[in-house]
Amino acid sequence: MSTTTPDTPLPYYEDVSPGSGGLPPRAWTAGSDAARLSLGGDWAFRLSPTATAEDESFARPDYDTTGWDTVAVPGHWVLQGHGAPIYTNVLYPFPVDPPRVPTENPTGDHRRVFDLPGDWPADGDAVLRFEGVESCARVWLNGQELGVFKGSRLPHEFAVGELLRPRGNVLAVRVHQWSSGSYLEDQDQWWLPGIFREVTLVHRPADAVGDFFVHASYDHASGEGTLRVDAEPGGRVTVPELGLDLATGESATVAVEPWTAETPRLYEATLATGGERVSLRVGFRTVVVEDGVIKVNGKRVLFRGVNRHEFHPETGRALDLETMREDLVLMKRHNINAVRTSHYPPHPAFLDLCDELGLWVIDECDLETHGFVDLGWRGNPVDDDRWTPALVDRARRMVERDKNHPSVVMWSLGNECGTGRGLTAMAEWIRERDPSRVIHYEGDMSCADTDVYSRMYAPHEEVEQIGRRAEAPWADAELDARRRALPFILCEYAHAMGNGPGGLSEYQRLFEAHERCQGGFVWEWIDHGIAKRTPEGELFYGYGGDFGEELHDGNFVCDGLLFPDRTPSPGLIEYKKVIEPVRIEGDGAAGTVRVTNTHNFADLSHLAFSWVYEAEGVAVDGGELAVPPLGPGESAEVKLAGRPATDSTGEALWTVRARLAADTAWAPAGHEVAWGQFPAAPATRAPAAAQAPAATGAAAVAPRREGDTIVLGPGVFDPASGALVSLGGLEVTGPRLDVWRAPTDNDNGASWQPDERYGLIWRALGLHRLRHRVDAVEVADDALTVRTRVAPAATDVGLVAVYRWTAETADTADGDRLRLAVSVTPHGEWTCPLPRLGVRLGVPAALGRAEWFGGGPGEAYPDTRAASRIGRWALTVDAMQTPYVRPQENGARADVRWARLTGADGTGIAVEGAPPFWFTARRWTTEQLDAAEHTPDLSASADTVWVNLDHGQQGIGSQSCGPGVLPPYRLDAGPAEFSFTFSRI
């Protein structure tokens, strides 16, 4: 029976208001001469199962907290041993009955006792500032209630000057995990309650700066900037470098260097009022939409972006400044120039760093109501007028806090909220307050409230149509015409979940080909795996379902370009190559290289170019390359040095690199920004340097029977199955045909895209449990031929595989060579592509060191190979593995000409391929990899290294949320022939 009636007021944590008792929002500043006191550290803490299990007596100064626990602030209590995190993508983890929340509402009472510093000013006022609390907080100071607030990732302030005393101040904060605000915070991330950003006491002297707004525009035609700073109360603004000394509200126009993400020029300034001096960093820039294109300082910009949640594997959304800087340094080093702050304003210090280091920012409001989508958006708060004050409050707090950052070029209303009047009210308020920036929102394709047409995961063909302004029409002709005139971005694309994403290069070509298509933001920056340990102490990363959640979305929370420990994934290495701001293309036969500057603003004077000439992966010669300081969009053809006179054999390649010529704030001199590689002449394969050529007069070897085996050159075979059992005295298993791979997250696909969820289709077909039937083992004078049929149970499709073994003896260091020619013919009606096509073999576990000539140094697949550079590489087998949070297919090296697996003594096995092949080596089988849920589930074999030599691989795509594998990268079943030559080292 209900305990409330329509006339019964809801408790504060369930009403739809944004809160009470707080001060109006104002600009963030990191530099002020006003006194500040951090209240971070250990706080007394008590967790209750419901919002009303305890009364408010804990806020009394004399309350005894003996027996309470402690938690670190900033921090989340569920990451400090109190309760557990919950991961959902779309679904609310509580019944949808807005604005009501469950009685089971974990509530954390926090207490902090503090003294004022001895030099704390005696006059003036003071403000208590919270940077972020999830999801609803009620605050008391010295027994006096200050107020309530919601809006987890936004600041809230309270006036407290009259309540302070020199010693023994008691700050009490009650935090509820669930509140009406939770309905507005259904972002794809962990639900992590707590005081997760700083709490600060700030002195407010008489005539202190209340708020200020820096207006710093740039006229690209004249090269001049216009500065005006509005402030409450008035004061003076000085910019020594520009010789400016202005009253607030007064404008001045002077010659300046503009701010851009490529050239983040900032001018140090000071705002002084009667009671306070505030340090400013002013960047002059102008953002407009002109002729259907977003322009900054008169030029079209191309966003090479990422979406970034705030996350650390141990502290959740409680990030320190060093971690924020590490994120941005990694972005800059990987050619990323833009960040969408998905899906809430970040810590304000992050935007200071974006100003300093140079990144374009879409600053997104703390708003998402995605959980209403499965209800047909019924009850959606953004279309319910009762919620509009809370929505506008969130927009105000974002804009007022962040309005002075030149890096912020777009305000975003939120994410995945459907449509409604509340969004319109937010947009109208923002336009009135700050017309100098673009307004973004993806969820309304009519673009009624926005200045940019934004989409998520639009497939390549649709992006091309949009680029030509030929997309499908909207029902409303007026809105359709408006939308077609807008610039276009992909605010999310290339879902970076697990192995992938694929198809990046094809997207980038579209962005560069169509002026309207102004780039996109990869989803997302980092895997949100939470650090856990096995009982034996081994570190791994947990995801949805690992913390006892009754409702969760599994490892969908691990979809970043960084692993949780901030190690770059292969996807980030690929993205860096695809978006590099210098294009290097060569004509080896002509001995020239064409260099194109694809920066929007910077010339190439900050880069130094060099070349190297390699034969069979070994550097033969190299030197510096004189490239003119090309302006944005300019190209030049530069002559390379002639082919080195040094005698060399083998495949020859030129590699040209562009590196930083001097140290920057984000990388040292010598950091590689871009590279290009191309054949020195039409490709011809010389015998591999690692594989000695057969001596003149090398003779073919006939197979012979020895006891219960067949011997062919260095190989020994089982006569019944035709299987190779040893090579040059080393035991081996196989090789035999293999088509299975442990499905990637992109193979398994998204539930709303069933047609190409090939991981599920492959498993349903039975490709993970193929059976091999031997039809014939034929011994001839010149070859051993094994005929087989490979097929899954319960179906009539299969693959006929013929293995033809030959050998030759040669007077070389490597001795006899064993050649395997494989032909494959599909039978039956194959309605899906194959995962892979090649052979798998097992070699002794002692052969733990790999060397190869081909693509590297990292993994690559057909549609993720832009960053794969041809060279001679060496790694341990263990280092060849990519530790995806959820184990899956990984570690393939592309375009391999030859590979060697050796032990500590240098002996081992070598293999050459014709044509070049995909090379994978690991200490577990594909089946074991497929069965693993976390990295500790993988146990290295004590006796075997498993090797895949693949003629083909299915591409990766992005179908864990985006498009599938593009047609050129699908491994359709068809006749195939390939060969490998083995020898004992």
Side-chain angles (χ1 to χ4, degrees), residues 562-631:
L562 294 183
F563 295 125
D565 65 358
R566 285 182 159 73
T567 300
S569 75
L572 182 57
I573 306 303
E574 176 81 356
Y575 193 38
K576 175 187 177 181
K577 174 61 180 169
V578 167
I579 63 175
E580 60 189 11
V582 181
R583 189 180 303 117
I584 301 171
E585 303 162 307
D587 184 337
T592 60
V593 60
R594 185 171 185 80
V595 178
T596 302
N597 180 6
T598 64
H599 288 91
N600 297 131
F601 300 93
D603 64 25
L604 298 189
S605 59
H606 65 294
L607 298 177
F609 290 79
S610 62
W611 62 272
V612 64
Y613 180 93
E614 294 172 309
E616 204 68 19
V618 177
V620 174
D621 202 357
E624 299 303 309
L625 188 66
V627 175
L630 302 169

Side-chain angles (χ1 to χ4, degrees), residues 296-336:
V296 178
N297 302 338
K299 293 186 177 182
R300 171 188 183 261
V301 294
L302 181 59
F303 299 108
R304 301 170 166 97
V306 292
N307 287 274
R308 173 188 176 269
H309 270 299
E310 292 188 307
F311 184 76
H312 188 282
E314 295 176 342
T315 60
R317 283 188 287 280
L319 296 188
D320 57 24
L321 188 63
E322 291 72 22
T323 300
M324 296 179 220
R325 181 176 287 275
E326 180 184 356
D327 277 349
L328 286 170
V329 164
L330 280 169
M331 289 179 194
K332 294 289 287 188
R333 290 183 177 183
H334 289 87
N335 295 328
I336 290 163

Side-chain angles (χ1 to χ4, degrees), residues 417-548:
C417 298
T419 60
R421 299 181 297 277
L423 293 170
T424 300
M426 294 169 69
E428 289 174 348
W429 186 92
I430 292 173
R431 277 200 177 88
E432 182 176 352
R433 178 59 170 149
D434 179 28
S436 70
R437 291 177 171 96
V438 173
I439 292 182
H440 168 273
Y441 177 64
E442 176 272 337
D444 182 0
M445 285 185 62
S446 76
C447 303
D449 298 316
T450 69
D451 303 310
V452 59
Y453 177 27
S454 178
R455 290 285 302 283
M456 294 181 181
Y457 308 106
H460 300 77
E461 59 270 23
E462 185 179 359
V463 172
E464 182 173 15
Q465 291 176 345
I466 292 170
R468 293 188 286 105
R469 301 186 190 271
E471 64 267 31
W474 188 253
D476 186 306
E478 183 177 347
L479 286 175
D480 184 63
R482 182 177 184 278
R483 181 183 58 150
R484 289 177 190 277
L486 295 178
F488 174 78
I489 64 168
L490 280 169
C491 68
E492 291 181 22
Y493 83 115
H495 198 247
M497 186 175 178
N499 188 334
L504 285 170
S505 295
E506 288 73 18
Y507 273 120
Q508 193 66 19
R509 285 198 286 270
L510 292 169
F511 300 155
E512 293 173 357
H514 299 288
E515 183 183 49
R516 182 191 190 190
C517 296
Q518 296 194 245
F521 296 77
V522 169
W523 186 268
E524 65 159 297
W525 177 236
I526 187 170
D527 285 344
H528 298 194
I530 292 178
K532 291 175 66 73
R533 291 192 179 273
T534 66
E536 296 73 31
E538 183 178 355
L539 175 68
F540 70 102
Y541 296 101
Y543 46 77
D546 288 334
F547 298 90

Side-chain angles (χ1 to χ4, degrees), residues 628-808:
L630 302 169
E634 294 181 347
S635 297
E637 196 167 89
V638 181
K639 187 70 176 177
L640 290 162
R643 179 184 175 116
T646 308
D647 183 28
S648 60
T649 60
E651 183 177 352
L653 296 166
W654 296 99
T655 303
V656 176
R657 297 178 173 89
R659 297 184 175 97
L660 290 178
D663 292 349
T664 69
W666 47 269
H671 167 76
E672 184 177 276
V673 172
W675 60 272
Q677 188 178 64
F678 43 93
T684 56
R685 284 291 300 127
Q691 285 295 111
T696 303
V701 178
R704 67 185 188 278
R705 289 189 177 271
E706 287 189 3
D708 58 355
T709 65
I710 298 173
V711 177
L712 177 59
V716 177
F717 296 82
D718 173 26
S721 64
L724 180 69
V725 295
S726 74
L727 177 70
L730 285 177
E731 291 187 7
V732 299
T733 303
R736 68 178 187 175
L737 193 72
D738 189 21
V739 302
W740 180 243
R741 73 183 187 193
T744 68
D745 293 313
N746 287 304
D747 288 338
N748 286 333
S751 60
W752 58 89
Q753 298 171 304
D755 293 344
E756 294 186 6
R757 300 185 70 187
Y758 287 128
L760 279 60
I761 293 169
W762 294 334
R763 198 179 301 277
L765 184 58
L767 298 189
H768 61 304
R769 47 174 173 77
L770 294 180
R771 295 294 179 260
H772 298 250
R773 186 183 74 213
V774 178
D775 290 334
V777 178
E778 301 169 353
V779 180
D781 291 342
D782 60 345
L784 170 65
T785 301
V786 182
R787 304 184 185 278
T788 70
R789 186 176 189 275
V790 182
T795 181
D796 61 354
V797 300
L799 301 165
V800 171
V802 178
Y803 310 96
R804 188 175 189 273
W805 293 94
T806 58
E808 63 181 24

Side-chain angles (χ1 to χ4, degrees), residues 265-287:
R265 182 67 159 93
L266 294 170
Y267 291 88
E268 299 295 330
T270 301
L271 166 62
T273 64
E276 185 179 12
R277 294 172 61 86
V278 173
S279 299
L280 310 179
R281 295 194 301 178
V282 178
F284 292 88
R285 60 107 186 93
T286 296
V287 184

Side-chain angles (χ1 to χ4, degrees), residues 132-265:
V133 181
E134 183 176 329
S135 71
C136 174
R138 187 178 178 189
V139 186
W140 297 261
L141 180 63
N142 293 329
Q144 178 67 46
E145 183 171 354
L146 303 179
V148 171
F149 63 87
K150 303 159 194 167
S152 297
R153 292 96 184 165
L154 293 162
H156 296 79
E157 291 184 328
F158 298 95
V160 296
E162 295 181 353
L163 299 176
L164 290 173
R165 51 200 188 199
R167 301 184 60 80
N169 293 281
V170 177
L171 175 58
V173 185
R174 172 162 286 177
V175 180
H176 304 287
Q177 174 156 15
W178 309 124
S179 71
S180 59
S182 302
Y183 286 99
L184 305 181
E185 296 171 5
D186 188 28
Q187 294 97 339
D188 174 12
Q189 61 178 341
W190 295 98
W191 299 89
L192 299 173
I195 305 172
F196 67 94
R197 289 182 184 161
E198 293 84 355
V199 182
T200 311
L201 184 67
V202 185
H203 181 241
R204 300 281 78 205
D207 292 324
V209 176
D211 192 17
F212 61 97
F213 197 163
V214 178
H215 305 273
S217 61
Y218 178 73
D219 184 340
H220 64 278
S222 68
E224 293 178 320
T226 299
L227 176 66
R228 186 184 87 247
V229 178
D230 299 328
E232 304 169 4
R236 299 200 69 81
V237 177
T238 54
V239 189
E241 190 174 356
L242 297 176
L244 294 179
D245 185 345
L246 306 171
T248 54
E250 180 183 353
S251 297
T253 300
V254 294
V256 297
E257 298 173 50
W259 188 97
T260 74
E262 296 168 6
T263 55
R265 182 67 159 93

